[in-house]
Amino acid sequence: MPPITEHVVLRDNDVPNIADLDVYIKHEGYEALRIAVTEKTPADVINVVKEAGLRGRGGAGFPTGVKWGFLPKDVYPRYLCCNADESEPGTFNNHQIIDRNPHQLIEGVALAAYAIECQTAFIYIRGEFAAGALRLEKAIADATARGYLGKNAFGTGVNINIVVSRGAGAYICGEETALMESLEGKMGQPRLKPPFPAIAGLYSKPTIVNNVETLANVPRIVLKGAEWYRKNGTEKSPGTKVFSVSGHVRKPGNYEVQFGTTMRELIYDYAGGMREDRKVKIIVPGGASAAWLTEASIDVAMDYESLAAAGTMLGSGGVIILDETVSAVELAYKMDEFFKHESCGKCTPCREGTHYLVKTLHRLNHGGAQKNDIAKLHDIYNQMAGNCFCLLGESAVVPIRTALKLFPHEFEEALAKSSARHAIPLTLAH
Amino acid sequence: MSLRQQHGAEIDAILARYPQKKSAILALLYVAQDTYGRLTDESIREVATIIDVPPTHVFEVVGFYTLLYDENVGKVVLQVCDDVPCAFCGAEQLVSTLESKLGIQCDQTTPDGMFTLQRVKCLADCNRAPLLQANLDYYRNLDTTEKVDDLLTQLRERIAKNDRISISGRLAEI
């Protein structure tokens, strides 16, 4: 795919200091919101987002405009939660949007709030983004002082109140129902669905949860229209996507490209190729929850459909590229250590399954392995798959299953080596 | 002095943000742990009174979230990301350097009470590995011993001047 001619989301690349309100305004900032609240109905805003084909960037890729249309008629108040709990390993595009283009996110939140007729929108931001939270609060205060937000947005009587709320260290709070539990002042454990958030979400009221990058797209769509937006991307995955590229590439960073750009282009044309010209060994295309690919799949197109066809997913857009110095057994251990650490403890398959995966993988990596350990790994993830309460546990299955499938010989080698060594005790935090 | 006596205006502003008082729990716990250096049992009960819930509820929440500290921590909490991809981009080296410079292991606090060292999961800044947060301010690309030395010197100076010391990140650098 050809490079984009202008950024849609990471406009900080084209406009220096766009985080400053005056600079943002000079570059069409808050124009979309002004036009929406003064000239358009909420239904008009939903329609243009539908026509643009904007899909949720949090992982599921569900059409955003369609989601907004799910709210039951005449039930108020309604809530909007912007999910800024970005914690998926290898993913850091929301972080850059919040730090460098905060007003575009705020304007997107305001537009979504107007579209769904919500008066109080929350930005639930992970506790670690302490500076980001302060930056967003300042941006909201600045925009409110100009009369763009607050009780009487643009003098129209429309009320748009945006509240920034910090989490306190829990990956699971990025799961939409756990996010709402956390916002209600409880432990962040997921809820049973149904009821879905659109029917009974935050404070049991109709609620829409959207990701940061999703909402940051909205101001440009409303201002420039669906046709403009669809100039980038593919028919089914329209627009641009910000991929966070990390690991053993020369220039790790966030790259906004058209959907449909290939993995090869992302690695070699954008991220500068591999450090020390080493070979690509493992590609994690969409955060820790996405099945791994190898160099054989390097020409896969980066859109929802093509990655699904390749047996994996676009997920969060966190692309981790690892070279041949990395052991698949160690990578599987580190990834399942992450899921074990972040398991909320609510359901048994996830809480116990991740615990035993980590214990077994630790033995294989560090000594004291038992001869049935590989069979045991298959056994553990098979007991977890399809049985966990939420996607966290299901995601924990992915790294170990994919590692065993792609690199079985490495597990055999690790077993032989480890059986000959004494066990190192594993201290499991939390 | 009670939390309310010391931070009445901030507490009222926090409560005013939410339709229900209970939602203010995390923000109030941040205020409490900055005030007392950690979440003492007494401070947890104070937060329970402010938002009108049973103390057991607040104790439960404190146990759930990793940024809430109910044990003693240093003036500055150093949190090194050791997740994927950092683990393969120098995080282990950074942990060892810090352990030897500070003379402690992870999950310990220096005897002078200055630093607590922890390993944490993804901090969403993977392009600038290896990295850490010190009281939730980011310090990136810490790939040499000299950079670690400079960082510790800088943090010691800030502690000495009591310059923006907040384990909860309420005074983070923007």
Side-chain angles (χ1 to χ4, degrees):
Chain A
M1 281 277 189
I4 52 174
T5 51
E6 62 175 304
H7 289 81
V8 179
V9 173
L10 298 185
R11 290 173 68 221
D12 45 300
N13 284 298
D14 305 332
V15 182
N17 303 320
I18 198 167
D20 183 283
L21 179 56
D22 287 318
V23 175
Y24 184 64
I25 290 169
K26 206 181 272 176
H27 292 84
E28 305 173 316
Y30 290 102
E31 236 344 71
L33 182 63
R34 186 190 63 77
I35 293 169
V37 298
T38 56
E39 298 170 17
K40 291 180 193 285
T41 64
D44 292 338
V45 177
I46 294 180
N47 280 336
V48 70
V49 171
K50 261 189 205 167
E51 283 164 19
L54 175 65
R55 296 176 65 170
R57 304 292 198 254
F62 194 81
T64 304
V66 176
K67 194 184 207 181
W68 291 354
F70 282 159
L71 292 172
K73 280 197 172 56
D74 304 325
V75 186
Y76 299 93
R78 295 163 168 190
Y79 292 107
L80 172 71
C81 299
C82 169
N83 186 345
D85 195 57
E86 182 175 61
S87 320
E88 181 79 25
T91 313
F92 45 93
N93 58 52
N94 293 358
H95 197 181
Q96 179 171 339
I97 295 166
I98 291 163
D99 275 359
R100 300 207 213 147
N101 195 6
H103 281 289
Q104 191 164 323
L105 172 61
I106 299 296
E107 189 179 3
V109 172
L111 280 162
Y114 178 69
I116 66 166
E117 298 173 77
C118 144
Q119 302 201 348
T120 301
F122 291 95
I123 300 178
Y124 183 89
I125 185 167
R126 66 180 295 188
E128 290 84 350
F129 288 172
L134 294 172
R135 205 165 272 137
L136 289 175
E137 278 175 356
K138 183 180 181 301
I140 293 166
D142 290 350
T144 306
R146 303 276 176 106
Y148 304 160
L149 303 172
K151 285 201 164 29
N152 187 18
F154 290 96
T156 57
V158 172
N159 182 5
I160 304 173
N161 175 30
I162 304 177
V163 176
V164 178
S165 197
R166 277 176 71 200
Y171 166 74
I172 188 61
C173 291
E175 196 280 340
E176 60 180 7
T177 61
L179 184 156
M180 296 184 298
E181 287 286 289
S182 181
L183 254 181
E184 289 181 8
K186 303 176 208 161
M187 293 191 291
Q189 292 186 318
R191 297 176 182 169
L192 195 64
K193 292 191 268 193
F196 289 93
I199 309 299
L202 185 63
Y203 308 121
S204 300
K205 297 296 178 192
T207 302
I208 293 290
V209 185
N210 285 138
N211 165 272
V212 165
E213 188 187 347
T214 312
L215 292 174
N217 271 284
V218 174
R220 304 304 282 168
I221 292 173
V222 172
L223 190 69
K224 309 267 229 171
E227 201 181 318
W228 175 87
Y229 187 74
R230 282 181 171 276
K231 278 187 197 159
N232 286 312
T234 67
E235 173 63 28
K236 287 185 175 164
S237 299
T240 63
K241 167 76 194 130
V242 183
F243 289 105
S244 305
V245 186
S246 67
H248 297 146
V249 291
R250 285 205 180 87
K251 292 193 295 175
N254 286 310
Y255 296 101
E256 183 171 350
V257 299
Q258 298 197 48
F259 273 113
T261 299
T262 67
M263 182 67 84
R264 185 190 296 277
E265 289 169 330
L266 205 53
I267 298 172
Y268 291 96
D269 298 349
Y270 294 89
M274 298 298 287
R275 280 186 201 171
E276 297 173 43
D277 290 318
R278 289 213 175 96
K279 268 184 71 153
V280 173
K281 177 174 174 181
I282 298 170
I283 298 169
V284 188
S289 313
W292 307 350
L293 299 171
T294 62
E295 204 191 13
S297 306
I298 202 162
D299 289 309
V300 68
M302 301 295 285
D303 57 62
Y304 294 101
E305 291 69 32
S306 306
L307 283 161
T312 182
M313 63 175 187
L314 188 127
S316 62
V319 179
I320 308 170
I321 310 292
L322 298 166
D323 67 25
E324 57 212 350
T325 62
V326 172
S327 138
V329 186
E330 199 185 346
L331 179 60
Y333 169 67
K334 288 303 297 182
M335 284 198 165
D336 275 319
E337 186 194 46
F338 165 77
F339 287 113
K340 192 221 147 280
H341 186 267
E342 299 300 339
S343 174
C344 80
K346 180 166 179 155
C347 77
T348 311
C350 176
R351 184 187 63 240
E352 301 300 316
T354 54
H355 178 88
Y356 284 101
L357 282 178
V358 167
K359 266 179 98 166
T360 313
L361 282 163
H362 186 269
R363 284 203 294 268
L364 279 169
N365 278 292
H366 298 289
Q370 299 160 5
K371 70 175 190 303
N372 64 341
D373 271 351
I374 294 176
K376 187 176 277 175
L377 287 170
H378 284 288
D379 189 36
I380 298 167
Y381 77 69
N382 277 319
Q383 289 187 61
M384 294 170 70
N387 292 325
C388 296
F389 190 90
C390 82
L391 279 178
L392 189 150
E394 299 297 329
S395 299
V397 170
V398 175
I400 181 60
R401 186 167 58 196
T402 191
L404 283 162
K405 188 176 149 205
L406 294 173
F407 301 98
H409 54 283
E410 286 194 29
F411 282 81
E412 298 292 346
E413 280 163 28
L415 179 65
K417 235 195 259 174
S418 162
S419 310
R421 286 159 60 195
H422 287 296
I424 298 176
L426 165 65
T427 30
L428 286 172
H430 315 293
Chain B
M1 270 213 296
S2 74
L3 212 49
R4 187 164 270 294
Q5 282 167 326
Q6 293 178 71
H7 298 284
E10 185 174 356
I11 290 170
D12 288 334
I14 291 169
L15 290 170
R17 298 208 295 253
Y18 297 101
Q20 295 183 7
K21 278 197 284 192
K22 205 169 151 181
S23 291
I25 190 165
L26 297 179
L28 294 175
L29 286 167
Y30 279 150
V31 175
Q33 72 180 8
D34 275 353
T35 307
Y36 303 113
R38 72 173 178 108
L39 292 167
T40 57
D41 286 3
E42 202 183 323
S43 69
I44 292 172
R45 291 197 180 90
E46 255 185 291
V47 169
T49 307
I50 295 171
I51 59 172
D52 203 14
V53 298
T56 48
H57 176 83
V58 188
F59 279 98
E60 181 182 83
V61 164
V62 170
F64 187 83
Y65 295 93
T66 58
L67 295 181
L68 301 176
Y69 311 120
D70 55 359
E71 285 171 4
N72 282 328
V73 290
K75 298 264 186 208
V76 171
V77 182
L78 300 171
Q79 298 175 313
V80 182
C81 173
D82 79 342
D83 209 346
V84 182
C86 287
F88 301 100
C89 300
E92 291 304 321
Q93 186 56 47
L94 177 55
V95 169
S96 327
T97 307
L98 283 163
E99 284 182 339
S100 78
K101 296 271 171 206
L102 297 171
I104 54 171
Q105 304 285 302
C106 286
D107 295 320
Q108 292 180 347
T109 300
T110 51
D112 61 6
M114 293 254 199
F115 298 105
T116 296
L117 180 62
Q118 297 178 341
R119 288 168 177 268
V120 294
K121 294 301 160 199
C122 190
L123 292 174
D125 219 56
C126 325
N127 54 331
R128 293 179 275 193
L131 68 135
L132 59 75
Q133 287 197 308
N135 285 355
L136 305 181
D137 281 331
Y138 281 90
Y139 294 90
R140 288 121 171 172
N141 298 316
L142 297 170
D143 49 6
T144 65
T145 318
E146 291 71 36
K147 288 186 191 171
V148 175
D149 280 333
D150 288 351
L151 167 64
L152 293 176
T153 307
Q154 188 189 330
L155 290 172
R156 285 198 176 97
E157 281 167 10
R158 264 176 62 182
I159 296 170
K161 285 191 285 189
N162 200 22
D163 172 21
R164 289 183 297 109
I165 297 300
S166 146
I167 51 174
S168 297
R170 279 159 63 242
L171 309 173
E173 197 163 7
I174 68 167

